[in-house]
Amino acid sequence: IRSYDTNILRMHNIAKRSINRVLRRISHQNTKEFGRRLGKLALCFPILVCDSVLEQVQAYPNMVTCLVEGLKYCHPVVYDILTHAMLDQFASSRPKLKDDGQNLSLWFASLSSFSGALHRRYSKIELKELLKYILASLTSAKIIDIYILKDLIAQMTGIEILQDMSASEVEKYCCGELLQQAYSSALNINKRSKGLMHLRCVLEGCDASASLTLKLLLALAKAPDQIHMSAGSTQLKFVSKLLDDQHGILLQYVSFLQ
């Protein structure tokens, strides 16, 4: 038995080194080559690959795009394992705020961005479980998870919350619907209509009783009453920012529904 355990540990270490070697070398220029290698490793060691990818994303946010593209060659089962691993990370007890209590932790912000980009790129990845997790978090007063929804809507639909608006953007929102649509077409935002329809279909579901659309809307509307007690920070600056962000995300969600 001891020899068997030793062999498993040795194979684990060999696989981990091979995966890390691929992840260190993957970039925007060689996504196809190293994406194929990552897909082959994922067939043999799916859990190790998913854990390593998530570790890489959380440590290096600038690698989100190339890692999402590199996962193109993975088997659908790997996507299910990756979804489970992501939810496990989101639900962990790790602090989602930095020590200063005013900013999101790097790992949480990076993982939220990765989640949105991943679901935008691959429609076959299970999305309903992530939406259920967000709904459960808001219902149980874990308000910080609202930023996952913000990134998901922004990535899949192109509806973003603008902090600083240029003069042209101000003029755009003063126009009528036809000019706004023309502006969106010029920015190629309409290319994300596929992601918008996918998100809407997942929210509505096949049964009206199982629809998450209204439940999520009500949870977002009730969130301000819980922010003061469950913001996870004693900094008034962050609490006020979270309150503003919550209102912005609510408007973002309503814009998506319209």
Side-chain angles (χ1 to χ4, degrees):
I1 296 176
R2 187 174 301 172
S3 174
Y4 181 72
D5 291 341
T6 304
N7 289 333
I8 291 178
L9 182 60
R10 183 168 57 84
M11 288 303 299
H12 177 277
N13 293 333
I14 293 173
K16 188 71 175 177
R17 284 197 298 269
S18 301
I19 294 166
N20 288 338
R21 195 178 302 119
V22 171
L23 292 178
R24 280 197 302 267
R25 298 181 63 185
I26 193 170
S27 65
H28 295 286
Q29 289 75 30
N30 56 22
T31 304
K32 186 173 181 180
E33 177 188 353
F34 285 95
R36 290 181 184 276
R37 295 187 187 183
L38 191 65
K40 290 177 181 178
L41 287 168
L43 284 175
C44 302
F45 313 101
I47 298 177
L48 272 180
V49 168
C50 292
D51 288 342
S52 300
V53 166
L54 294 182
E55 288 174 7
Q56 192 87 347
V57 164
Q58 293 172 64
Y60 306 102
N62 58 327
M63 293 193 66
V64 166
T65 306
C66 61
L67 284 176
V68 167
E69 192 63 31
L71 290 169
K72 178 171 64 174
Y73 305 97
C74 291
H75 192 273
V77 173
V78 179
Y79 295 145
D80 291 338
I81 296 172
L82 186 61
T83 300
H84 180 275
M86 248 191 322
L87 291 174
D88 189 55
Q89 290 286 337
F90 281 133
S92 67
S93 57
R94 295 170 65 185
K96 295 177 181 177
L97 293 177
K98 292 183 178 179
D99 294 336
D100 59 8
Q102 297 187 23
N103 298 286
L104 295 177
S105 295
L106 177 65
W107 76 267
F108 178 67
S110 304
L111 197 59
S112 297
S113 177
F114 175 75
S115 173
L118 190 70
H119 287 95
R120 182 193 68 192
R121 180 67 177 81
Y122 307 108
S123 58
K124 52 189 171 184
I125 294 182
E126 180 62 47
L127 176 57
K128 193 162 190 176
E129 299 307 316
L130 180 61
L131 293 171
K132 285 182 179 179
Y133 168 77
I134 296 170
L135 178 61
S137 296
L138 294 177
T139 306
S140 57
K142 296 178 182 177
I143 306 299
I144 300 297
D145 287 331
I146 200 173
Y147 289 102
I148 305 174
L149 181 63
K150 173 188 173 183
D151 286 332
L152 192 64
I153 295 175
Q155 294 274 8
M156 295 191 70
T157 69
I159 303 172
E160 299 182 6
I161 301 174
L162 301 175
Q163 301 292 342
D164 299 313
M165 297 177 65
S166 64
S168 61
E169 288 169 339
V170 172
E171 291 175 357
K172 169 202 165 183
Y173 288 104
C174 292
C175 301
E177 292 185 5
L178 290 177
L179 285 177
Q180 288 189 28
Q181 290 174 6
Y183 183 86
S184 298
S185 299
L187 294 180
N188 294 324
I189 294 178
N190 286 338
K191 288 184 177 179
R192 296 190 179 177
S193 58
K194 185 177 179 182
L196 189 147
M197 292 303 298
H198 175 58
L199 181 57
R200 182 166 294 171
C201 289
V202 173
L203 279 169
E204 292 175 354
C206 8
D207 185 6
S209 60
S211 174
L212 298 175
T213 308
L214 185 57
K215 294 177 183 177
L216 201 53
L217 180 61
L218 291 174
L220 284 170
K222 293 177 181 178
D225 299 333
Q226 305 170 343
I227 284 178
H228 302 288
M229 300 298 295
S230 58
S233 173
T234 57
Q235 300 287 337
L236 291 179
K237 182 179 179 181
F238 176 76
V239 174
S240 61
K241 180 181 180 298
L242 182 58
L243 194 60
D244 290 339
D245 288 345
Q246 180 276 331
H247 183 67
I249 295 168
L250 176 61
L251 294 179
Q252 182 190 30
Y253 184 70
V254 170
S255 298
F256 154 67
L257 293 179
Q258 291 175 343

